[in-house]
Amino acid sequence: VQLQASGGGLVQAGGSLRLSCAASGLTFSRYTMGWFRQSPGKEREFVAAVSWNGESSDYADSLKGRFTCSRDNARNTVYLQMNSLKPEDTAIYYCAARRGNSPKIRRYDHWGQGTLVTVSS
């Protein structure tokens, strides 16, 4: 299984970014897909997840309303749209895959390499 995250970069506070994660080596439509992030000196934290058919999702409470997680099963890709970015959103963002259909379960089977998002003030 390979999960290739992309789309990170440098953005000013208040700006937007869309991260993508392309998956291979798995039956994508049978996996819940999630996003996590890790800032320097902090533990990895849950960001968002979307069910295998895209009909349900879950978000960290602090990010609801700013971040949107979606997927395109035809492209084996999951997305994270991030709006109104803040300096505290600066982190490495990782995508992850978990066989099954519950976005509320935080245990994941496969992880990508991460993409760096830096938000300047």
Side-chain angles (χ1 to χ4, degrees):
V1 175
Q2 288 192 334
L3 303 174
Q4 184 71 41
S6 61
L10 175 63
V11 62
Q12 287 188 334
S16 298
L17 277 177
R18 189 177 81 154
L19 306 183
S20 300
C21 176
S24 60
L26 76 171
T27 304
F28 186 71
S29 61
R30 294 296 187 186
Y31 282 75
T32 291
M33 298 299 295
W35 289 96
F36 291 75
R37 69 184 184 184
Q38 188 167 18
S39 304
K42 295 186 178 181
E43 293 187 353
R44 185 172 60 194
E45 63 175 347
F46 171 75
V47 173
V50 61
S51 63
W52 59 20
N53 58 7
E55 291 185 353
S56 63
S57 56
D58 193 32
Y59 296 90
D61 288 342
S62 62
L63 301 177
K64 288 179 181 177
R66 293 197 298 123
F67 287 17
T68 303
C69 183
S70 62
R71 66 191 293 160
D72 184 343
N73 284 354
R75 289 185 164 84
N76 284 12
T77 301
V78 61
Y79 304 99
L80 184 68
Q81 177 67 43
M82 306 184 294
N83 298 328
S84 302
L85 283 163
K86 305 175 182 180
E88 51 264 42
D89 294 319
T90 294
I92 299 174
Y93 284 72
Y94 300 89
C95 62
R98 188 184 64 77
R99 186 171 177 82
N101 196 31
S102 175
K104 293 190 179 295
I105 296 177
R106 301 288 186 256
R107 296 186 305 275
Y108 281 77
D109 304 315
H110 307 286
W111 294 84
Q113 88 292 355
T115 185
L116 176 63
V117 172
T118 303
V119 184
S120 63
S121 57

